[in-house]
């Protein structure tokens, strides 16, 4: 067995703070008995929640701070006021100083992006970090990035996102050469903005450790056409929120339909097993956790309003990434790619 994985948790982040973070850590500990935690936040509130989880208390260290980043704080303000002493910053610092293998926060996304980049720095050769999401598909799951770290992206950044997403797919899905597609408004090569077409041209020719599929459209994502879908953060975030909203809408339609008549209610009882499987497949909590890629450390962003089940899933993602060496693999891929570009340029 390898060394125990320690994860730093921003206990004050999100809408609920320790009342969700601590029960979530207890759930994650059941699934990963070797895990250890650094719980960062108001010690009195953390200890009050830990009193109900004695096993977790034995596996946890508390780092006290009474400063928390507000959910509506501007990233620049959070970075200026919350640096050095907020629960978010101290959890990131634990990763930077090698006291923890990863950190998880449900706090302010913009603040977390700014602080993570400032504290951990980007991997050499990476222009901007990206946030990746694990997306359910008809086939299995796929990686989609960027889903919110950057409003836009140029062709170089899209190629870097491709390498990041492929490294994550290898780590989490165990595939050596993931298939990758660029999200576009059509599959024809003449369609799309210039940045996407330029990235497409590079990916077609560059000797990368991927299987480049080409352009994919929005309806291809859920069909599992490729293992990794690459786009800019503006488009990716809209796609993510639209998919989550659609899942909730379908769930509401099904519940209403099953209550419409006696026969419908009877049918719902008979099909309980199938509906339970569908609910689990469509439950966004089961895939909670936006993964920051391109940093010298592992950072996972949980939804701010999630419950203990959702936050525990974000901890699971952090644990899997820490156990798989994804940061080291990504750094190697990025270094190799830029070395090849330099050789081709010299030639």
């Amino acid at each position: 067995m390898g060394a125990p994985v320690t994860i730093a948790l921003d206990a004050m982040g999100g809408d609920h703070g320790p009342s969700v973070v601590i029960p979530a850590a207890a759930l994650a500990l059941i699934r990963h008995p070797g895990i250890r935690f650094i719980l960062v936040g108001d010690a009195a509130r953390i200890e009050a929640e830990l009193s109900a989880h004695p096993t977790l208390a034995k596996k946890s260290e508390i780092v006290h701070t009474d400063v928390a980043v507000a959910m509506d704080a501007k990233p620049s303000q959070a970075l200026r006021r919350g640096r050095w002493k907020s629960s978010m910053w101290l959890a990131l610092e634990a990763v930077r100083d090698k006291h923890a293998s990863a950190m998880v926060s449900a706090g302010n996304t913009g603040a977390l992006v700014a602080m993570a980049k400032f504290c951990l720095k980007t991997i050499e050769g990476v222009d901007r970090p990206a946030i990746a999401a694990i997306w359910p598909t008809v086939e299995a799951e796929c990686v989609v990035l960027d889903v919110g770290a950057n409003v836009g992206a140029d062709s170089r950044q899209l190629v870097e996102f491709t390498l990041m997403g492929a490294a994550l797919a290898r780590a989490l899905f165990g595939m050596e050469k993931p298939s990758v597609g660029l999200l576009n408004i059509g599959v024809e090569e003449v369609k799309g903005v210039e940045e996407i077409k330029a990235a497409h041209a590079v990916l077609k020719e560059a000797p990368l450790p991927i299987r480049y599929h080409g352009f994919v459209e929005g309806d291809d994502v859920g069909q599992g056409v490729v293992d990794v879908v690459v786009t800019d953060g503006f488009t990716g975030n809209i796609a993510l929120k639209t998919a989550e909203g659609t899942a909730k809408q379908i769930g509401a339609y099904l519940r209403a339909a099953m209550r419409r008549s006696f026969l419908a209610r009877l049918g719902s009882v008979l099909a309980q097993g199938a509906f339970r499987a569908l609910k689990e497949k469509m439950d966004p909590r089961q895939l909670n956790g936006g993964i920051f890629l391109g940093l010298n450390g592992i950072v996972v962003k949980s939804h701010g309003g999630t419950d203990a089940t959702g936050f525990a899933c974000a901890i699971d993602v952090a644990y899997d990434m820490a156990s798989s060496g994804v940061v080291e693999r990504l750094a190697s891929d990025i270094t190799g790619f830029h070395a090849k570009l330099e050789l081709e340029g010299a030639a």
Side-chain angles (χ1 to χ4, degrees):
M1 294 181 64
V5 172
T6 299
I7 297 181
L9 302 181
D10 172 12
M12 310 310 292
D15 298 340
H16 310 291
S19 65
V20 160
V21 172
I22 303 306
L27 287 173
L29 182 60
I30 294 172
R31 295 196 279 260
H32 312 289
I35 200 171
R36 303 191 68 86
F37 293 102
I38 298 174
L39 306 174
V40 188
D42 188 317
R45 292 181 61 187
I46 293 173
E47 288 168 353
E49 296 291 338
L50 276 177
S51 62
H53 305 282
T55 303
L56 174 63
K58 294 177 183 178
K59 293 286 191 85
S60 301
E61 171 193 349
I62 298 175
V63 175
H64 172 72
T65 179
D66 55 7
V67 179
V69 175
M71 293 297 283
D72 59 351
K74 293 182 178 180
S76 57
Q77 292 176 340
L79 185 61
R80 185 169 61 252
R81 298 173 185 173
R83 201 164 78 236
W84 319 126
K85 53 187 178 180
S86 69
S87 58
M88 184 180 287
W89 176 269
L90 293 176
L92 287 165
E93 203 172 57
V95 176
R96 184 196 67 189
D97 297 340
K98 309 300 182 185
H99 300 311
S101 303
M103 76 84 75
V104 184
S105 175
N108 182 316
T109 302
L112 185 58
V113 171
M115 285 191 183
K117 188 173 182 180
F118 191 91
C119 181
L120 300 177
K121 312 301 183 186
T122 55
I123 293 172
E124 185 177 357
V126 172
D127 189 16
R128 295 182 186 178
I131 302 177
I134 308 302
W135 201 290
T137 74
V138 172
E139 298 297 325
E141 295 171 348
C142 72
V143 173
V144 180
L145 75 164
D146 179 18
V147 294
N150 308 281
V151 174
D154 60 26
S155 58
R156 172 192 167 118
Q157 290 155 1
L158 289 170
V159 173
E160 290 176 356
F161 293 172
T162 298
L163 291 169
M164 294 179 195
L168 181 60
R170 278 194 294 272
L172 297 185
F173 305 153
M175 51 184 61
E176 186 55 34
K177 294 190 74 173
S179 58
V180 181
L182 283 176
L183 188 62
N184 200 5
I185 59 172
V187 297
E188 298 86 355
E189 296 204 2
V190 296
K191 289 188 174 180
V193 296
E194 292 305 316
E195 290 83 359
I196 291 177
K197 289 192 284 188
H200 172 69
V202 172
L203 292 172
K204 281 198 305 181
E205 303 298 333
L208 301 176
I210 64 171
R211 290 181 289 114
Y212 181 56
H213 176 86
F215 292 141
V216 294
E217 297 183 86
D219 57 346
D220 293 327
V221 181
Q223 294 298 315
V225 172
V226 292
D227 303 312
V228 181
V229 178
V230 177
T231 186
D232 63 78
F234 182 85
T235 306
N237 190 265
I238 291 175
L240 178 66
K241 298 297 174 58
T242 301
E244 290 176 349
T246 302
K248 293 178 182 177
Q249 181 183 2
I250 293 172
Y253 284 165
L254 283 173
R255 287 191 295 272
M258 290 301 100
R259 293 193 296 263
R260 190 163 297 163
S261 67
F262 171 76
L263 288 177
R265 290 194 293 272
L266 179 61
S268 68
V269 172
L270 296 175
Q272 276 186 349
F275 283 128
R276 191 178 301 114
L278 177 63
K279 180 180 179 181
E280 290 176 359
K281 185 72 173 178
M282 295 177 62
D283 187 354
R285 298 178 305 169
Q286 301 301 325
L287 296 172
N288 180 43
I291 305 158
F292 285 30
L293 295 175
L295 299 171
N296 289 300
I298 298 169
V299 178
V300 177
K301 170 66 175 71
S302 166
H303 286 299
T306 194
D307 60 9
T309 299
F311 197 92
C313 289
I315 296 174
D316 290 342
V317 171
Y319 179 87
D320 290 341
M321 289 188 64
S323 302
S324 63
V326 66
V327 173
E328 293 77 12
R329 181 62 185 263
L330 174 56
S332 175
D333 286 352
I334 292 289
T335 300
F337 170 64
H338 286 297
K340 289 172 183 175
L341 286 185
E342 290 175 3
L343 286 174
E344 289 177 1

